[in-house]
Amino acid sequence: MRTRAVCGAVVGAVVLGAAGLGWAGEPSFEEKRAALEKRVAEAPAEAQVGALNELAALLVRRNPAEALAHARRAQELAPTRGDVVGEATANKWAGLALMVLEKDGEGLTHMRRAQELFAGLGDRAEAARTLGYCAMMLDHLGKVWEAVAACEKA
């Protein structure tokens, strides 16, 4: 009986979380979005790229077109501020948003750039992760052998 109640509570929390209502005590999706939008608007120049990338990360599954717009803005700002990590991250989010929008060819260009930047920074985990995303996009494009090669490289 007690197990059933605990399982019911867990399922309820998962459903609420998936509906964007947040876990108990955690902000909802809309609250997180509003807070990030405020951070972007109020961020000093040096922090704006990071805030835009966080907003793109939050939106990529629910509103990929909007996530792409934020990622593109971060892509434009990052080089002017010498923010290589921000540029790499913005390329990753742009690539993922385009993948969700089923524009894998365009997304692949951004993801490859992200992979190059992360590799150049010595961030092996992000470089491997972005190579994995490249492999997924190549597979979607029907380039199976290139996808396999990307997986092996990762």
Side-chain angles (χ1 to χ4, degrees):
M1 192 69 150
R2 195 167 165 210
T3 304
R4 206 174 289 189
V6 170
C7 289
V10 169
V11 169
V14 170
V15 169
L16 289 174
L21 301 175
W23 301 93
E26 181 182 320
S28 70
F29 171 83
E30 290 304 325
E31 290 169 330
K32 290 177 186 177
R33 179 184 181 151
L36 283 170
E37 287 173 343
K38 183 177 179 185
R39 272 191 52 211
V40 168
E42 297 174 354
E46 63 274 3
Q48 209 165 33
V49 172
L52 285 165
N53 280 328
E54 284 184 55
L55 189 54
L58 178 69
L59 294 169
V60 75
R61 287 191 182 106
R62 289 192 179 199
N63 191 338
E66 189 177 347
L68 179 59
H70 293 301
R72 285 189 169 151
R73 188 163 160 224
Q75 285 175 308
E76 292 170 5
L77 292 174
T80 66
R81 291 170 171 76
D83 186 352
V84 181
V85 173
E87 183 180 356
T89 304
N91 274 284
K92 178 179 81 172
W93 291 119
L96 286 170
L98 287 160
M99 183 172 73
V100 173
L101 292 167
E102 298 181 7
K103 297 180 179 182
D104 294 294
E106 190 180 346
L108 185 59
T109 302
H110 294 283
M111 199 59 70
R112 283 182 170 155
R113 178 69 179 141
Q115 193 279 324
E116 290 170 7
L117 291 168
F118 283 127
L121 290 165
D123 189 336
R124 292 175 47 189
E126 280 296 325
R129 187 173 290 115
T130 52
L131 265 175
Y133 291 136
C134 286
M136 289 171 52
M137 289 182 215
L138 286 164
D139 182 52
H140 294 165
L141 293 168
K143 299 179 179 184
V144 177
W145 293 114
E146 286 182 59
V148 170
C151 286
E152 288 174 347
K153 188 176 176 183

